[in-house]
Amino acid sequence: MIEWPVILSTVRLTLRPFRPQDAPDVSRLAGDREVAANTLTVPHPYEEGMASEWIAGHAPAAAAGERVVFALVHEAGLVGAMGLDFAPEHARAELGYWVGRPSWGQGFASEAARELVRYGFEVLGLNRIQAHHMVRNPASGRVLEKCGMQKEGVVRQYLKKWGEFEDIVMYSILASDQAPDRSAGDTS
């Protein structure tokens, strides 16, 4: 059973549930073609009403134990989204995220990922958290490494994005990999 809503904090970020009033910022940030190009599920073009519908689905999905999605909020406002999709029968979750282009390269994804990994293991009792990125997006791999994930390998033509097959790189971290001194506040 997942307690929801949950608010998590790092040195620079608040990870909180999305609110209906976040929809315009989601549309603007996720609607950027470069953001959508590096994700599997963000559509492009990002049409009117999509953000509101996406946000409205979060609470029911959390209540059903399917996923949790957090807004990544910095003092300047919304910077992106990060969540965990659960496979409870395997004590496993898949980490997924996007960060708006104005916030790229500032370490927000790494900072949030470290906190979400901590939450997944310490609060939710997960055994494994995994994630993947498209081979053509190595910056995402650096985020995963910074939260302690290990590269497991390349899966060839694993998904299809905009009509093209994409190779992905799979990463994971196990509960037993966790070092007791991991800090969610490290912004490197």
Side-chain angles (χ1 to χ4, degrees):
M1 183 79 165
I2 299 167
E3 286 191 37
W4 192 256
V6 171
I7 297 175
L8 305 173
S9 297
T10 69
V11 170
R12 300 182 299 159
L13 297 171
T14 299
L15 285 69
R16 62 156 173 83
F18 276 90
R19 303 172 183 151
Q21 58 266 36
D22 293 324
D25 288 333
V26 170
S27 292
R28 178 177 53 81
L29 295 171
D32 183 313
R33 190 179 198 294
E34 293 302 310
V35 171
N38 290 307
T39 66
L40 179 59
T41 60
V42 175
H44 188 79
Y46 205 93
E47 297 178 4
E48 180 90 23
M50 285 180 164
S52 295
E53 184 178 324
W54 179 68
I55 291 168
H58 293 172
E66 297 169 354
R67 83 185 54 83
V68 291
V69 181
F70 292 90
L72 309 182
V73 182
H74 184 254
E75 59 195 27
L78 182 71
V79 298
M82 187 170 288
L84 293 169
D85 285 323
F86 301 111
E89 67 277 15
H90 303 291
R92 179 181 74 220
E94 174 107 8
L95 176 76
Y97 63 91
W98 58 263
V99 172
R101 195 165 15 165
S103 299
W104 285 3
Q106 297 180 43
F108 293 132
S110 299
E111 187 174 331
R114 280 190 291 272
E115 178 60 14
L116 212 49
V117 164
R118 183 207 61 78
Y119 168 74
F121 291 133
E122 294 179 11
V123 177
L124 301 178
L126 296 171
N127 179 60
R128 175 185 167 97
I129 299 174
Q130 63 189 36
H132 67 269
H133 69 85
M134 294 176 211
V135 169
R136 63 180 167 76
N137 182 15
S140 200
R142 289 189 293 278
V143 167
L144 301 176
E145 290 168 355
K146 287 178 182 178
C147 73
M149 291 193 180
Q150 296 178 24
K151 182 178 176 180
E152 294 186 331
V154 174
V155 184
R156 299 179 309 148
Q157 297 187 2
Y158 184 76
L159 54 86
K160 198 172 190 181
K161 178 72 179 186
W162 296 345
E164 298 291 326
F165 287 105
E166 298 274 355
D167 295 349
I168 64 160
V169 184
M170 181 64 77
Y171 286 79
S172 75
I173 185 169
L174 305 177
S176 59
D177 295 335
Q178 287 286 277
D181 63 341
R182 281 203 197 282
S183 170
D186 180 10
T187 60
S188 61

